[in-house]
């Protein structure tokens, strides 16, 4: 330790640096105190500290976890620096062992907390990201097994043909368990890292998984399972486990929320280690409990890690979770992760039949600080070689970190036999019809079933029948069509589309690259915007208030879409649109003397979208995004052209949309969407931005749930949708509510906008007038006051249902509007 005195008037500053006597490396977080002086200081990452004092003679004591303390008597002030170092002492750690965990816990003066702060201070130097370059190979194995199969079910005669799946049971992996593997996936990849500018590249050279056939989306299942069992780094502040975010026990703020206890010291490969246990201060928070082994070689790295989650936290369907990680010492003394094992036990009940999932990851052949060329990092972060999914068995024998068990080995053959069984194919076919609404019929699918019957005020009772082609028909040509008839208006509606896949891949997969032409004659509610739901879905037939503002639309569309593997996509489109008012809407201009039967527009559009690291679950109808921490940015331009195909108006419509999920550790997460729009040109109100309203009883994330259809229009606007999910942070602390496992949600939506004088029919008599009912105007433009609605939701009711209580705060004098409402939404989540 080096000390220097600096005297200025009567103020003196003691400065020094603390070092390890053996390695001469800096000792971080050492405690320095002066006898008779309150306070003191701690050494920084370079081992340096400063203490202001007025004493010219002092007794200085330096202490640090894992080292012998040292006291220095300074009787006189030398002009030169004084060097001093601390020697290690493992005995002091053993003496500090906590044997009674029920005694009052304190951070101050706690050697376990002193040690964990050293680990926190050394986090950056113990990560792989501390190297300028790094390469390694990675082997991943994901196994899902059925556990505790009901005896009556396993002996059922109807299921007798499938008994061979259950009979392949491993009773040795876990005591008292019969694990029957039903899914297996293996991946082998070469991985590269560069620090500046930071880039990560993964080249998958081998990939295979069991295949249940085309009726089951195996890629979607693989994507979802890997999202549940994603990689995590203990050195990150927050760790995602089964879609929930946990605070790491070595996060900067961890000592505020965790309790730490030194259990023992041990020696592994001549390295001294401290075994440190930890648990949450509040067992109901999203925090871990477990044990870590910490090195005492000056790096304060984690050598081994065991993590569990408390059974009292608000987790759905997760009966148990266990994470084990092992770190290996590198030639430079750092410890890097070499094996990770994540296990999850899932079930609807605590003791019944469930699923047991395990993901093992091995990291081998690590090399550091060997320069890598820039060309290596070109392209998307993850690249799958064309040969990856066709690798022979010999490839896996060479590259597997561990051999498969005999039960895992049988999974590929068992599932292959299963998919060839006609009874299984029939079972999956009808299950798909019940769950997704589509029924296979040779090269086509009939559906969706949810639209076969519906009703509304314009069409009355409505029947619809449709379908689409599958890959059995072609992998390049896709067609979709339906016909519907309204018994109230006695009119036919129909839709026909043809799509050509330019990359010879499914148009529902990733990446998409296609040309599509379509024609649709259909009814529509102005301002209704639905996500992942058909507009004529039966459940949407039930609406609040007056639902009498409709359109008859004729649309011809020609679209081109190209998605790149780096998740940047662009699209171009042409649209001919003829809209005819229906219900109580009428297009009247010139002070009511001119009735317009139709509005016809011709549009050209362009769009660019960026969604880094986006993932999907690909279903029968939609690709459902698997939300992550990365933003989604979408910008589009639509140009209306007059006198082309009877187009009546020139205008430009600009729209910019930004979405991001922000994770706040145990406080939950926030979904934020910003949307900006601007219409350039003089147009009637049907061509302005008709703001998304919702008159159904289902809560819609990106619609105004207390706004009426066609209530507001704008030619310029800015809006924000905010939903924050607390994940039970407050309810878990209330004894009665804790057992229900409910979760809190707060939401708010705000809309700024307006209509310029040139597009305002109240100021320009030549424009189409806003719709009126019984002499009252029911369509408005926004003034200086924004539209605001906000609410509070209770989610996870019966583990699926969310109920929101919403209040509207502005424009309360509009006719037939609700002041408050209750909306319902269903969502599956862990």
């Amino acid at each position: 330790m080096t000390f220097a005195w600096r005297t200025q008037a009567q103020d003196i500053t003691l400065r020094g640096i603390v070092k390890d006597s053996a390695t001469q490396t800096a000792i971080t977080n050492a405690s320095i105190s002066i006898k008779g002086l309150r306070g003191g200081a701690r050494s920084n990452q370079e081992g340096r500290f400063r203490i202001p004092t007025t004493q010219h003679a002092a007794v200085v004591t330096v202490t640090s976890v894992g080292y012998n303390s040292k006291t220095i008597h300074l009787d006189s002030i030398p002009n030169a620096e004084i060097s001093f170092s601390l020697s290690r002492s493992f005995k002091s750690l053993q003496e500090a062992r906590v044997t009674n965990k029920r005694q009052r816990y304190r951070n101050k003066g706690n050697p376990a907390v002193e040690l964990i702060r050293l680990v926190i201070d050394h986090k950056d130097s113990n990560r792989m990201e501390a190297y300028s370059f790094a390469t390694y190979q990675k082997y991943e194995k994901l196994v899902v097994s059925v556990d505790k199969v009901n005896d009556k079910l396993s002996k059922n005669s109807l299921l007798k043909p499938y008994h061979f799946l259950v009979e392949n049971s491993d009773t040795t992996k876990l005591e008292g368990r019969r694990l029957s593997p039903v899914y297996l996936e293996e991946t082998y990849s070469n991985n590269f890292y560069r620090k500046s500018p930071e880039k990560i590249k993964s080249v998958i050279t081998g990939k295979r998984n069991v295949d249940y056939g085309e009726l089951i989306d195996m890629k979607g299942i693989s994507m979802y399972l890997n999202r549940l069992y994603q990689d995590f780094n203990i050195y990150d502040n927050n760790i995602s486990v089964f879609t929930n975010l946990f605070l790491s026990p070595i996060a900067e703020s961890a000592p505020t929320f965790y309790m730490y206890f030194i259990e023992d010291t041990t020696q592994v490969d001549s390295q001294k280690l401290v075994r440190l246990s930890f648990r949450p201060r509040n067992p109901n928070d999203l925090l871990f409990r477990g044990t870590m082994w910490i090195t005492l070689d000056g790096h304060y790295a984690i050598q081994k890690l065991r993590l569990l989650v408390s059974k009292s936290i608000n987790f759905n369907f997760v009966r148990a979770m266990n994470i084990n990680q092992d770190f290996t010492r590198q030639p430079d003394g750092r410890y890097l992760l070499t094996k990770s094992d994540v296990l999850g036990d899932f079930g609807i009940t605590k003791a019944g039949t469930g699923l047991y999932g395990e993901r093992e990851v091995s990291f081998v052949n690590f090399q550091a600080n060997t320069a890598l060329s820039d060309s290596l990092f070109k392209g998307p972060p993850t690249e799958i070689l064309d040969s990856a999914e066709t690798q022979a068995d010999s490839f896996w024998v060479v590259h597997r970190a561990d051999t498969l068990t005999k039960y895992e080995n049988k999974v590929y053959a068992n599932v292959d036999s299963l998919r060839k069984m006609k009874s299984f194919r029939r079972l999956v076919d009808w299950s798909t019809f019940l769950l997704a609404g589509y029924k296979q019929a040779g090269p086509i699918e009939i559906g969706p079933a949810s639209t076969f019957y519906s009703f509304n005020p314009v069409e009355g009772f409505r029947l619809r029948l449709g379908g689409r082609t599958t890959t059995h028909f072609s992998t390049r040509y896709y067609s979709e069509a339906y016909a519907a008839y309204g018994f109230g208006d006695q009119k036919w509606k129909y839709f026909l589309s043809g799509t050509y896949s330019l990359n010879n891949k499914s148009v529902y997969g990733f990446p998409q690259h296609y040309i599509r032409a379509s024609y649709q004659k259909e009814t529509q509610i102005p301002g209704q915007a639905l996500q992942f739901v058909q507009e004529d879905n039966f459940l949407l037939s039930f609406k609040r208030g007056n639902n009498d503002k409709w359109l008859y639309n004729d649309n011809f569309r020609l679209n081109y879409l190209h998605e790149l593997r780096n998740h940047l996509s662009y699209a171009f489109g042409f649209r001919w649109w003829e809209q005819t008012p229906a219900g109580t809407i009428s297009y009247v201009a010139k002070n009511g003397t001119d009735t317009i039967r139709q509005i016809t527009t011709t549009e050209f559009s362009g769009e660019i979208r960026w969604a880094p690291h986006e993932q999907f679950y690909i279903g029968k109808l939609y690709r459902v995004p698997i939300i992550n921490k990365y933003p989604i940015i979408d910008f589009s331009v639509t140009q209306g052209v007059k006198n082309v195909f009877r187009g009546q108006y020139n205008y430009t419509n600009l729209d910019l949309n930004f979405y991001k999920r922000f994770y706040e550790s145990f406080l939950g997460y926030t979904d934020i969407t910003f949307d900006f729009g601007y219409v350039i040109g003089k147009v009637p109100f049907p061509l302005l931005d008709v703001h998304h309203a919702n008159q159904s009883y289902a809560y819609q994330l990106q619609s105004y749930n207390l706004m009426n259809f066609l209530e507001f229009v704008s030619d310029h606007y800015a809006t924000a949708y905010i939903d924050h999910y607390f994940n039970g942070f407050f309810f878990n602390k209330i004894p009665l509510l804790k057992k229900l496992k409910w979760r809190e949600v707060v939401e708010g939506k705000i809309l700024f906008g307006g209509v310029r004088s040139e597009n305002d029919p109240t100021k320009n008599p030549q424009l189409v007038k806003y719709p009126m009912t019984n002499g009252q105007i029911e369509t408005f433009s926004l003034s200086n006051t924004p539209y605001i609605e906000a609410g509070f939701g209770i989610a996870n009711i019966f583990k699926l249902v969310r109920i929101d209580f919403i209040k509207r705060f502005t424009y309360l004098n509009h006719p037939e509007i609700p002041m408050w409402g209750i909306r319902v939404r269903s969502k599956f989540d862990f």
Side-chain angles (χ1 to χ4, degrees):
M1 182 174 64
T2 303
F3 293 102
W5 290 99
R6 185 183 65 188
T7 303
Q8 185 175 6
Q10 295 186 0
D11 295 328
I12 303 170
T13 300
L14 172 64
R15 296 183 299 175
I17 181 170
V18 185
K19 293 184 178 181
D20 184 300
S21 62
T23 64
Q24 291 301 301
T25 57
I27 299 177
T28 304
N29 217 35
S31 177
I32 300 95
S33 61
I34 298 177
K35 186 177 181 180
L37 182 70
R38 297 186 63 182
R42 290 186 177 276
S43 58
N44 62 17
Q45 291 186 352
E46 298 175 349
R48 301 183 183 279
F49 68 91
R50 296 178 56 171
I51 304 178
T53 178
T54 58
Q55 300 180 28
H56 291 272
V59 177
V60 182
T61 301
V62 183
T63 60
S64 181
V65 176
Y67 291 87
N68 292 309
S69 63
K70 185 68 69 174
T71 299
I72 304 173
H73 297 265
L74 297 175
D75 297 324
S76 59
I77 313 297
N79 293 324
E81 293 185 345
I82 303 173
S83 297
F84 189 84
S85 300
L86 298 185
S87 61
R88 298 177 188 174
S89 173
F90 305 109
K91 180 179 179 181
S92 61
L93 286 171
Q94 291 178 327
E95 293 173 350
R97 180 179 177 183
V98 177
T99 58
N100 180 9
K101 295 182 182 179
R102 294 189 178 182
Q103 64 181 334
R104 186 176 179 182
Y105 182 87
R106 293 175 181 271
N107 275 1
K108 186 177 181 180
N110 187 338
V113 177
E114 299 266 351
L115 180 58
I116 207 66
R117 283 176 174 153
L118 286 171
V119 175
I120 294 171
D121 290 339
H122 286 78
K123 280 170 57 173
D124 291 342
S125 63
N126 286 317
R127 304 167 66 101
M128 183 193 70
E129 290 79 4
Y131 295 103
S132 298
F133 298 94
T135 63
Y136 60 91
Q137 280 74 51
K138 180 178 175 184
Y139 169 76
E140 307 167 65
K141 180 178 70 173
L142 177 61
V143 184
V144 179
S145 304
V146 178
D147 180 31
K148 298 180 181 177
V149 178
N150 186 282
D151 289 339
K152 292 183 179 180
L153 186 66
S154 62
K155 296 177 181 178
N156 191 302
S157 59
L158 294 176
L159 300 178
K160 187 176 181 180
Y162 312 117
H163 283 184
F164 64 93
L165 293 174
V166 180
E167 290 167 358
N168 181 37
S169 298
D170 188 350
T171 59
T172 62
K173 192 172 188 67
L174 290 174
E175 185 177 354
R177 299 288 189 96
R178 292 178 58 86
L179 302 178
S180 303
V182 294
Y183 181 82
L184 174 62
E185 176 181 322
E186 297 179 275
T187 306
Y188 188 84
S189 60
N190 296 317
N191 298 269
F192 310 92
Y193 170 78
R194 183 183 65 193
K195 186 174 184 177
S196 181
E198 189 171 50
K199 279 281 190 177
I200 297 176
K201 178 81 170 186
S202 178
V203 180
I204 297 176
T205 58
K207 185 175 181 65
R208 72 170 180 173
N209 57 273
V210 299
D211 186 1
Y212 280 89
E214 62 183 338
L215 294 176
I216 298 178
D217 175 27
M218 299 310 302
K219 289 187 176 180
I221 289 175
S222 172
M223 191 77 72
Y224 191 76
L225 288 173
N226 280 282
R227 168 67 171 155
L228 293 182
Y229 288 89
Q230 64 182 307
D231 290 335
F232 77 86
N233 189 338
I234 189 61
Y235 290 107
D236 290 338
N237 286 330
N238 296 296
I239 298 171
S240 180
V241 178
F242 305 145
T243 72
N244 288 271
L245 211 63
F246 285 68
L247 183 72
S248 168
I250 59 171
E252 276 79 0
S253 61
T256 305
F257 303 98
Y258 281 97
M259 295 188 293
Y260 303 90
F261 308 93
I262 293 177
E263 301 288 353
D264 203 355
T265 59
T266 185
Q267 186 166 317
V268 177
D269 297 330
S270 74
Q271 292 295 324
K272 293 285 186 179
L273 306 172
V274 176
R275 181 160 59 92
L276 186 81
S277 67
F278 51 90
R279 67 170 188 251
R281 293 174 184 262
N282 186 336
N284 299 315
D285 288 340
L286 289 179
L287 302 169
F288 296 105
R289 59 185 176 90
T291 306
M292 66 177 72
W293 285 256
I294 301 168
T295 67
L296 293 178
D297 57 356
H299 291 287
Y300 299 101
I302 296 174
Q303 188 264 350
K304 186 184 295 185
L305 178 69
R306 301 292 179 260
L307 297 178
L308 302 167
V309 295
S310 172
K311 293 182 179 180
S312 59
I313 66 172
N314 197 332
F315 240 0
N316 288 335
F317 314 112
V318 180
R319 299 189 292 205
M321 192 277 294
N322 192 354
I323 299 175
N324 301 307
Q325 291 195 328
D326 295 317
F327 300 76
T328 301
R329 192 171 190 267
Q330 304 302 309
D332 62 356
R334 289 190 177 100
Y335 282 78
L336 295 181
L337 181 65
T338 51
K339 187 164 186 178
S340 179
D341 191 8
V342 181
L343 304 96
D345 186 5
F346 305 91
I348 297 177
T349 62
K350 291 183 178 180
T353 301
L355 293 176
Y356 187 87
E358 180 178 11
R359 182 172 184 258
E360 295 182 7
V361 183
S362 297
F363 303 85
V364 297
N365 301 328
F366 182 85
Q367 295 182 6
N369 294 332
T370 300
L372 302 172
S373 64
D374 292 342
S375 61
L376 188 62
F377 296 94
K378 290 183 177 179
T382 301
E383 180 182 346
I384 303 177
L385 298 185
D386 293 337
S387 59
E389 297 182 358
T390 58
Q391 295 287 8
D393 289 343
S394 57
F395 172 89
W396 295 105
V397 171
V398 172
H399 292 92
R400 277 193 191 106
D402 296 306
T403 58
L404 299 180
T405 68
K406 65 177 182 179
Y407 307 100
E408 294 169 346
N409 256 320
K410 288 183 179 180
V411 176
Y412 289 115
N414 283 350
V415 173
D416 188 54
S417 300
L418 184 69
R419 62 181 293 191
K420 294 177 182 177
M421 298 171 62
K422 291 183 178 180
S423 61
F424 174 74
R425 293 200 297 270
R426 284 195 300 268
L427 175 65
V428 173
D429 188 20
W430 283 105
S431 298
T432 302
F433 178 71
L434 293 173
L435 296 175
Y438 276 95
K439 176 69 175 65
Q440 191 94 9
I444 66 171
E445 293 176 324
I446 299 172
S450 61
T451 64
F452 287 168
Y453 163 67
S454 61
F455 58 89
N456 61 69
V458 171
E459 296 176 274
F461 173 66
R462 170 185 165 117
L463 293 179
R464 167 178 152 169
L465 183 65
R468 65 185 186 183
T469 63
T470 68
T471 51
H472 280 293
F473 177 80
S474 173
T475 58
R476 280 198 179 273
Y477 299 95
Y478 295 86
S479 182
E480 184 175 359
Y482 71 77
Y485 185 77
F487 288 84
D489 62 358
Q490 298 183 351
K491 292 184 178 181
W492 283 96
K493 294 87 186 174
Y494 50 85
F495 171 77
L496 177 65
S497 75
T499 306
Y500 178 73
S501 174
L502 295 168
N503 58 3
N504 200 28
K505 293 184 178 181
S506 170
V507 294
Y508 305 105
F510 175 85
Q512 295 178 338
H513 189 196
Y514 62 74
I515 298 175
R516 174 177 291 161
S518 66
Y519 184 82
Q520 184 181 46
K521 186 179 184 67
E522 188 54 280
T523 58
Q524 182 189 3
I525 301 175
Q528 177 170 268
L530 302 175
Q531 288 184 304
F532 316 122
V533 181
Q534 296 281 341
E535 290 193 10
D536 50 357
N537 185 297
F538 170 72
L539 294 177
L540 293 181
S541 300
F542 301 93
K543 289 184 169 65
R544 61 168 178 84
N546 292 329
N547 180 28
D548 53 6
K549 297 177 178 63
W550 286 71
L551 297 174
Y552 287 111
N553 283 333
D554 289 87
N555 276 291
F556 172 77
R557 297 174 186 265
L558 184 63
N559 298 99
Y560 169 80
L561 174 64
H562 189 189
E563 286 183 334
L564 306 178
R565 288 195 175 273
N566 63 358
H567 297 279
L568 180 71
S569 63
Y570 55 90
F572 301 100
F574 168 81
R575 180 192 190 192
W576 179 84
W577 178 22
E578 186 175 80
Q579 51 176 301
T580 305
T584 61
I585 298 180
S586 60
Y587 293 162
V588 179
K590 296 183 180 178
N591 295 319
T593 61
D594 189 6
T595 299
I596 300 173
R597 183 173 178 269
Q598 295 168 330
I599 291 178
T600 304
T601 55
T602 301
E603 298 176 341
F604 296 89
S605 62
E607 179 182 5
I608 187 166
R609 182 176 184 271
W610 185 55
H613 306 285
E614 187 174 33
Q615 297 176 317
F616 305 95
Y617 176 80
I618 302 170
K620 285 287 184 180
L621 284 171
Y622 304 100
R623 302 186 314 180
V624 180
I626 301 173
I627 305 300
N628 54 34
K629 64 181 180 180
Y630 298 98
I632 299 175
I633 302 172
D634 196 324
F635 177 70
S636 64
V637 179
T638 302
Q639 180 64 53
V641 182
K642 189 176 180 179
N643 298 327
V644 175
F645 300 110
R646 294 190 287 119
Q648 297 172 315
Y649 300 94
N650 286 317
Y651 57 91
T652 305
N653 196 332
L654 307 175
D655 185 81
L656 175 64
N657 187 278
F658 173 89
Y659 167 84
K660 191 177 187 322
R661 172 168 289 181
F662 295 88
Y663 289 97
E664 281 99 38
S665 189
F666 53 88
L667 290 176
Y669 59 88
T670 305
D671 289 338
I672 297 180
T673 300
F674 295 108
D675 194 31
F676 307 90
Y678 197 92
V679 178
I680 302 172
K682 182 179 178 180
V683 293
F685 81 87
L687 299 182
L688 301 178
D689 283 301
V690 180
H691 296 296
H692 299 164
N694 174 31
Q695 287 187 214
S696 74
Y697 295 99
Y699 180 81
Q700 294 181 11
L701 294 173
Q702 296 193 15
S703 296
Y704 303 98
N705 291 282
L706 297 182
M707 183 186 289
N708 288 341
F709 292 132
L710 203 55
E711 184 180 353
F712 289 101
V713 295
S714 297
D715 60 13
H716 60 281
Y717 71 90
T719 187
Y721 308 104
I722 302 174
D723 288 76
H724 181 79
Y725 302 80
F726 282 101
N727 284 340
F729 179 77
F730 297 105
F731 285 169
N732 285 349
K733 297 172 176 61
I734 302 174
L736 294 178
L737 293 179
K738 182 175 72 172
K739 292 185 178 181
L740 296 173
K741 293 189 178 294
W742 288 353
R743 300 173 182 174
E744 323 85 337
V745 185
V746 292
E747 70 260 357
K749 303 179 193 296
I750 185 169
L751 169 66
F752 296 89
V755 176
R756 302 188 302 275
S757 297
E758 62 180 318
N759 291 320
D760 189 345
T762 64
K763 300 177 181 178
N764 190 338
Q766 300 300 315
L767 293 174
V768 175
K769 305 303 177 184
Y770 289 145
M772 300 180 68
T773 302
N774 299 324
Q776 278 190 313
I777 294 178
E778 293 188 332
T779 298
F780 306 89
S781 60
L782 290 153
S783 62
N784 293 330
T785 301
Y787 173 88
I788 302 173
E789 66 178 48
F792 171 77
I794 300 176
N796 210 46
I797 301 173
F798 306 118
K799 300 183 179 181
L800 289 173
V801 178
R802 166 180 167 179
I803 298 178
D804 288 83
F805 305 86
I806 311 169
K807 180 172 174 54
R808 175 168 166 165
F809 292 93
T810 56
Y811 298 97
L812 303 181
N813 60 338
H814 287 184
E816 304 294 332
I817 58 100
M819 304 291 186
W820 63 276
I822 298 176
R823 301 292 179 265
V824 180
R825 179 178 174 83
S826 63
K827 181 186 178 184
F828 173 85
D829 203 353
F830 288 98

